[in-house]
Amino acid sequence: MAKNLTTRDKDYSRWYNDLVVQADLADNSGVRGCMVIKPHGYAIWEKIQAELDFRFKETGHVNAYFPLFIPKSYFSKEAAHVDGFAKECAVVTHYRLKNNPDGPGVIVDEDAKLEEELIVRPTSETIIWDSYRNWVQSYRDLPILVNQWANVVRWEMRTRLFLRTTEFLWQEGHTAHATEAEAVAEAVQMLHVYGDFVEEYMAIPVIRGVKSDNERFAGALETYCIEALMQDGKALQAGTSHFLGQNFAKAFDVKFQDKDGEVKHVWATSWGVSTRLMGALIMTHSDDHGLVLPPKLAPIQVVIVPIYRGEEELQAIDEVANALVADFKKMGIRVKYDHRDTYKPGWKFNEYELKGVPIRIAIGPKDLEKGTVEIARRDTLTKSYLPMEGLASEVSSMLDVIQVELFERAKAHRDANIHFVTTWEEFTAALDRGGFVSAHWDGSPETEDQIKDKTKATIRCIPLDNPLEEGQCILTGKPSTQRVLFARAY
RNA sequence: CGGGAUGUAGCUCAGGUGGUAGAGUACACGUCUGGGGGGCGUGUGGUCGCACGUUCGAAUCGUGUCAUCCCGACCA
């Protein structure tokens, strides 16, 4: 077991923090609530970015970039949007510092006050829609299918590495369409792009659904989401896709002349995932030994560690290992041969376990004699011996197996933790056990609020294709037509 | 913004009743090592958050201040 990693049993949230820091993913910085994403963490984020970016482009989107700063006046144009974000915005009020005349250091130059304050974007709808007004005149200019990779700032009271940080990295897609149907289809399409990516690539099973009124994005008519279940039984929203109706088009006066000659407001969507996905990744697969990475996401998929004493042994192993590395690379396997003499084998084993490398291969003198290697799976912590002959294809298929099994394991855990309840007692008991709780709800925001007050649980989503079923609201006993998923969430 | 706590070595922390700085770990060097974070030895490293006060003398006592953390409030 890793030296200083708190076990999950003992304190799950401390385990999470320890893991993020010790696996060298990220660190707290000198700025409250802001993190330094370290090379290993950033490499994983880059894998996420690369695959998502590919999938966005496959579905016809292009990238662009909009300013970090948003004039305060833009922000107030869409009322619901203001309500949603006003309380967590960083505001730029001055543009200059000067030497402190009364002592050391620098102070804000009060003469350099901005006429209009600038908001550091918490999300970019307003600045983007202000631009779109100038991009669109005719139905021929539509649709606009733009994505941006950016950082945003939300001044949260309580932060946690990756899960909720003051500044975070994300992508935000903002699209404009001629018709309502097309915009809704876009929002749904992107929900599935997210869902497919997270399941296929990150091996995290998700439930796709829509948000209730209370949980809907500020300014949206419908919020689609993917919800994942973490090991400790808490839910995590892993991605959202919003159908924004014409709210932003009206607020920013984005109109076009349609085929029929009429001037109409455009229909909008926005959708995003963030570095929070890193948190989902950690809390879905990892264990008391450290990070567990799905092979498709692992910057290093296979590490080879030599075991030797003396130069001659190392040289003999080098020869074999370098040949294996060449084989692996030919098959597209991301491999690292770690023959640093400055660290010992046992230290390296622990290090790569902590960092989540899916497969570790050890080669020592005994292996050279027998023509074998020791091969260890990070996910199951099992070891076996394989002949060097044909190793690359064995490793390649083992990586595939690991990818599949990680997903299956997570899905089994998720499915085993969806509880169907009919009474309030069952409901609260199920929430305390953790997991999703499927229960009837009368459909009113007030009831949802009351349930939240009493239990800290919220409606995570109403699953897509949710079967209709007669029932009674878990709290009020009023008639209900379907079950919805409740959970305590991150 | 309420309630509680903490600031001492890169990190985690110890330093009753005042007397000039310690441990573990990390790091550096040497050595024995090497199939799961190895042993032994030597060493580097600190304006004790900051300011003022009490005192011959303050990490220690007092006042103020700043910062951070926890609980709550808050959080799409």
Side-chain angles (χ1 to χ4, degrees):
Chain A
M1 187 160 315
K3 232 185 199 168
N4 303 310
L5 197 54
T6 306
T7 60
R8 289 173 294 175
D9 266 1
K10 199 172 165 199
D11 184 342
Y12 194 80
S13 90
R14 203 165 146 202
W15 165 82
Y16 175 85
N17 263 308
D18 286 356
L19 175 50
V20 170
V21 173
Q22 288 183 41
D24 241 2
L25 300 175
D27 219 338
N28 283 303
S29 72
V31 187
R32 198 201 81 103
C34 294
M35 63 180 167
V36 175
I37 304 177
K38 296 180 78 174
H40 187 229
Y42 201 77
I44 297 166
W45 176 241
E46 283 180 314
K47 300 291 293 178
I48 292 173
Q49 275 187 306
E51 180 64 18
L52 276 174
D53 200 65
F54 172 77
R55 292 178 185 224
F56 295 159
K57 284 168 181 162
E58 284 291 292
T59 45
H61 303 87
V62 291
N63 286 332
Y65 188 79
F66 294 85
L68 169 67
F69 301 120
I70 301 175
K72 194 177 70 180
S73 58
Y74 287 24
F75 211 73
S76 51
K77 287 186 180 174
E78 214 289 329
H81 199 62
V82 184
D83 282 350
F85 288 106
K87 283 174 285 184
E88 51 187 50
C89 286
V91 185
V92 180
T93 55
H94 294 76
Y95 58 87
R96 195 164 62 212
L97 299 172
K98 62 179 182 185
N99 288 320
N100 184 358
D102 303 321
V106 289
I107 59 170
V108 172
D109 185 346
E110 290 299 336
D111 294 336
K113 195 171 185 332
L114 289 172
E115 278 295 307
E116 179 177 2
E117 291 94 341
L118 296 170
I119 313 298
V120 180
R121 62 182 167 215
T123 178
S124 303
E125 270 81 1
T126 57
I127 189 94
I128 287 179
W129 280 89
D130 186 70
S131 294
Y132 283 179
R133 178 174 57 246
N134 304 315
W135 294 16
V136 180
Q137 265 92 46
S138 153
Y139 71 92
R140 292 187 180 90
D141 299 325
L142 295 171
I144 299 174
L145 301 173
V146 164
N147 174 64
Q148 96 165 338
W149 290 95
N151 58 338
V152 289
V153 167
R154 296 181 187 176
W155 214 266
E156 302 283 358
M157 292 294 196
R158 197 79 143 254
T159 59
R160 295 193 65 192
L161 293 169
F162 288 119
L163 293 176
R164 178 176 284 115
T165 48
T166 301
E167 178 191 18
F168 57 94
L169 306 185
W170 77 343
Q171 58 69 219
E172 45 182 329
H174 295 275
T175 69
H177 306 266
T179 66
E180 175 173 13
E182 195 183 307
V184 170
E186 165 78 4
V188 171
Q189 171 185 245
M190 297 323 288
L191 174 79
H192 289 301
V193 167
Y194 287 152
D196 292 348
F197 164 75
V198 169
E199 294 197 327
E200 290 166 14
Y201 217 77
M202 303 185 73
I204 300 171
V206 292
I207 292 173
R208 303 166 200 220
V210 296
K211 287 291 188 191
S212 62
D213 292 1
N214 286 5
E215 298 287 319
R216 189 177 295 142
F217 178 74
L221 297 189
E222 190 81 273
T223 289
Y224 299 89
C225 63
I226 50 174
E227 291 285 329
L229 189 67
M230 305 295 99
Q231 294 165 342
D232 64 343
K234 288 172 83 174
L236 182 75
Q237 177 177 299
T240 51
S241 177
H242 314 289
F243 167 57
L244 300 172
Q246 294 173 304
N247 289 345
F248 285 93
K250 285 176 180 164
F252 287 88
D253 200 29
V254 183
K255 291 181 286 200
F256 69 101
Q257 194 166 18
D258 209 346
K259 287 174 198 167
D260 58 17
E262 270 185 56
V263 175
K264 300 171 182 173
H265 285 105
V266 304
W267 297 82
T269 79
S270 71
W271 27 274
V273 296
S274 71
T275 35
R276 179 179 247 204
L277 283 177
M278 297 285 292
L281 178 72
I282 294 160
M283 290 193 291
T284 300
H285 302 303
S286 299
D287 61 23
D288 291 346
H289 294 254
L291 188 64
V292 174
L293 285 171
K296 286 185 181 178
L297 215 53
I300 299 169
Q301 295 172 309
V302 180
V303 64
I304 302 175
V305 176
I307 292 155
Y308 60 94
R309 60 181 93 183
E311 267 306 299
E312 311 78 43
E313 281 190 10
L314 177 58
Q315 275 175 22
I317 294 167
D318 274 352
E319 208 171 296
V320 172
N322 286 328
L324 286 176
V325 167
D327 278 359
F328 287 8
K329 283 186 174 166
K330 253 180 252 167
M331 297 204 59
I333 298 168
R334 296 186 288 279
V335 60
K336 173 178 174 179
Y337 175 43
D338 185 357
H339 64 288
R340 288 177 297 176
D341 192 40
T342 45
Y343 294 95
K344 308 176 62 169
W347 191 92
K348 291 176 187 171
F349 290 178
N350 281 285
E351 181 71 2
Y352 290 110
E353 254 163 37
L354 197 49
K355 291 190 170 177
V357 175
I359 292 177
R360 183 191 68 232
I361 291 172
I363 307 175
K366 294 176 207 163
D367 298 298
L368 289 189
E369 264 174 49
K370 291 185 280 186
T372 60
V373 299
E374 181 199 80
I375 185 161
R377 271 176 66 163
R378 174 62 186 90
D379 62 328
T380 54
L381 295 166
T382 50
K383 291 190 227 180
S384 54
Y385 292 87
L386 289 179
M388 287 181 198
E389 198 65 38
L391 189 61
S393 64
E394 285 295 323
V395 165
S396 178
S397 53
M398 186 180 276
L399 288 169
D400 293 341
V401 168
I402 292 171
Q403 183 77 31
V404 170
E405 289 188 5
L406 280 176
F407 179 77
E408 293 302 330
R409 203 172 307 144
K411 188 166 183 298
H413 172 264
R414 197 273 312 274
D415 290 344
N417 284 285
I418 301 178
H419 312 295
F420 289 77
V421 302
T422 52
T423 69
W424 180 255
E425 289 69 32
E426 288 172 0
F427 180 70
T428 55
L431 284 174
D432 288 341
R433 257 181 294 153
F436 288 117
V437 181
S438 179
H440 280 281
W441 163 58
D442 65 21
S444 83
E446 295 75 26
T447 301
E448 186 179 354
D449 277 339
Q450 283 178 38
I451 292 172
K452 186 179 177 184
D453 286 346
K454 288 177 196 289
T455 65
K456 293 193 168 164
T458 50
I459 296 175
R460 300 320 302 160
C461 74
I462 303 158
L464 298 183
D465 309 320
N466 205 28
L468 292 183
E469 175 190 311
E470 296 284 313
Q472 279 150 13
C473 176
I474 203 78
L475 181 70
T476 62
K478 288 181 190 164
S480 149
T481 56
Q482 62 179 345
R483 289 173 174 273
V484 299
L485 287 180
F486 289 87
R488 297 201 176 109
Y490 275 101

